[in-house]
Amino acid sequence: MRSRFGRHGTVSLSAAALAKAGGFFQLTHSRKIERLLPTPFSYRIMDSTPATSKNYVLKRLPEESTPPALSRNYAEELNTQQLAAVEAVDGPALVIAGAGSGKTRTLVYRVARLIDLGIPPSSILLLTFTRKAAQEMLERVGLLIGLRSQQVSGGTFHSTANLLLRRYGQPVGLESGFTILDRGDSEDLISLLRGQLGLNDMGKRFPRKHTIGEMFGKTANTLASLEDIVLDEYSHFGNFLDELTKLQTAYELAKRQRQLVDYDDLLVKLLELLVVDDYSRETISQAFRYILVDEYQDTNRLQASLVRNLAATHQNVMVVGDDSQSIYAFRGATFRNIMEFPDLFPGTTIYKLEENYRSTQPILQLANKLIAAAPERYSKTLFTRIEEGPLPSLVQAMGENAQSRFIAQKILELREEGIALGEIAVLFRSSFHAFDLELELTRRNLPFIKRGGFKFIETSHVKDLLAHLRVIHNPLDTVSWNRLLLLLEGVGPKKSKDLIAMILQTHGNYESLKHSTGRSGPGLRHLATTLDQLTEEPLSPAVLLGEMLEYYLPLLKDQYDDYPKRIRDLEHLSVMAERYEDLNQFLADLTLEPPNSTSDVEAPDQDDERLILSTIHSAKGLEWRCVFVIWLVDGRFPSAYSFSDDDGLEEERRLLYVAITRAKQHLFLTYPINVYDKMTGAVLSKPSRYFDHIPPSHFETWNLVEEDQTYSWR
């Protein structure tokens, strides 16, 4: 900055120069200064030093000599454990917040108290997993201490990264105007590059753009190599590893050249910035002197590294979470983050929130006993002042349909007792576990909404398979003909329309398909031959479906990259078909729609009139007065796929813990026996292994007895 000296030894600085020097004056501010002050603005430098000098003491104002008065009586509004966490100021802190223990309340009050202590709100960073969560927390802070909360920086990891990269991103090659690609844009770019690299000629089994996008995303979030991701989770694409690596390199180059950033890049690039650029790391870390992270057990390796680097110049990090509710490994989250936090931040103080405000003591006793068997965890014991309540019920059913009938009947009884349908939830590990129950609820005219997966008949692969059964039942079903024809190579909309017209002209005779030629010829002839074989003599729905499934499997593999998961759904459909002798009745039951479609899931005004069906993952953070947890049979919960994986088994234990702790008053745990599992060839009859170490006194055992029989199902 250039200075100008007048004849009296003055330094002349314009308002514009002040603005430039300070780096934070806006143009409007500069103009106001220029109007109010002489130009040039002058400071006089004395030409000589006084002969004598003395000290003059500046007295501290009363409000500066005493600590600021707190706006809340925190001790009265929090329990002892919550207060201890809220009163923490400097240094790293880990808050182990048990289910229903007031985690959000603790976070909100801690932010409020930091501001009350005089810490600038702008130096507080609150990281959450959803924008809604951050907004709600900061609104609650505002209710406690007023408008000061508006200066707190709160948002998701990704939104925070976006803001920081636009300001500091140049060292990692990002200008402030970079473009963020949404998932669709990313997949379109992958598709474009795939064509340019000649990978579209690799055949039908080369993964689709959506699947490739998922692979690339997981490499970013887990800090793992593409090879590890492909071989561990997409092993059926292992022979394309070289091509996928080449495509990933081209994808990264294209984004860099065009100032494009995808969703995962926001975190990757921010971490890169914090690691490679000392100035940016120190500046950002100094700006956010107090960092709070919600749901830390759900973070991935990338997010944990970000937290560590954001706190590079200090240790003022408080993370809140529950190791017992770490259930998102399939999304890249790792249980290890919360367990290793004290190692990442030496000197960490651990706080525990154990008082539960949701469930009765019998439910909590069961939850405590379940999680106590985990080999690695933070010890805690949930308790409540709600001591009275019924014991959880352990219900054995002689098959899946008996399980469904019990649940439907019990729900009707609960409704008669005054419990609204919206206060009842049925939770399950996987979406297909609810398929039979959906049919039973439909029969009983019980409205429901399903969260965390499609309704049974809405899944595309189920619709594909059923279309084949429908044309066997009704050869004039043009909708089903169109669906199954479009699955075949060389058959497009026009070709399908023409073929259907020929079939209708012959009153449902598909003989003409046997003489098809061209690219579509082999597929059409194979279809016609298969249908002929299945209509030669009457077959049961189970046999028909099994034979049709064998025909459909190659088509399934061509259509869906995640076909291994879908095969399990279809095999479950085969099991359901075994209860039927008539194809017409089987198809009719599957087609019946409940009174309210799951598309209405976002209509909260109707939620109290509908039962909730939900995967446990989608139920996390929610609660209901009455909860059913179904399919608690070994081989389904935990899944047989986890038997050889200790980490997988422990995540399934935590998943059950989450399910149990959703219940406020009534808890029913059901398991069917004598269930044949086609994937393993085993008959499933043993209750979940997680009950092995739980004393019988923690349950009330229910014996289901058929109305017209005298024997017990146990």
Side-chain angles (χ1 to χ4, degrees), residues 74 107-117 141 144-145:
Y74 294 90
L107 271 173
V108 166
Y109 271 78
R110 196 209 179 211
V111 173
R113 193 173 184 277
L114 287 175
I115 297 172
D116 258 356
L117 292 174
V141 174
L144 293 177
I145 62 170

Side-chain angles (χ1 to χ4, degrees), residues 418-438:
I419 300 179
L421 286 180
E423 278 293 311
I424 305 172
V426 182
L427 306 183
F428 34 85
R429 181 192 172 278
S430 301
S431 183
F432 76 89
H433 289 175
F435 289 170
D436 187 80
L437 178 61
E438 292 175 37

Side-chain angles (χ1 to χ4, degrees), residues 439 456-484 503 508 510 527 531 534-535 541 544-545 548-549 551 570 573 582-593:
L439 297 179
F456 178 41
I457 63 168
E458 292 175 347
T459 54
S460 56
H461 51 297
V462 170
K463 294 175 95 174
D464 288 345
L465 188 57
L466 291 179
H468 292 80
L469 296 187
R470 289 193 172 103
V471 298
I472 293 175
H473 175 65
N474 177 15
L476 299 178
D477 184 344
T478 58
V479 174
S480 295
W481 271 115
N482 185 60
R483 186 175 190 95
L484 63 87
I503 293 171
Y510 47 81
L527 171 63
L531 294 177
L534 297 181
T535 54
L544 272 174
L545 200 147
M548 207 71 252
L549 178 57
Y551 161 82
L570 298 177
L573 178 63
D582 180 67
L583 179 61
N584 181 48
Q585 187 61 49
F586 176 61
L587 293 174
D589 282 356
L590 290 176
T591 306
L592 288 174
E593 287 287 339

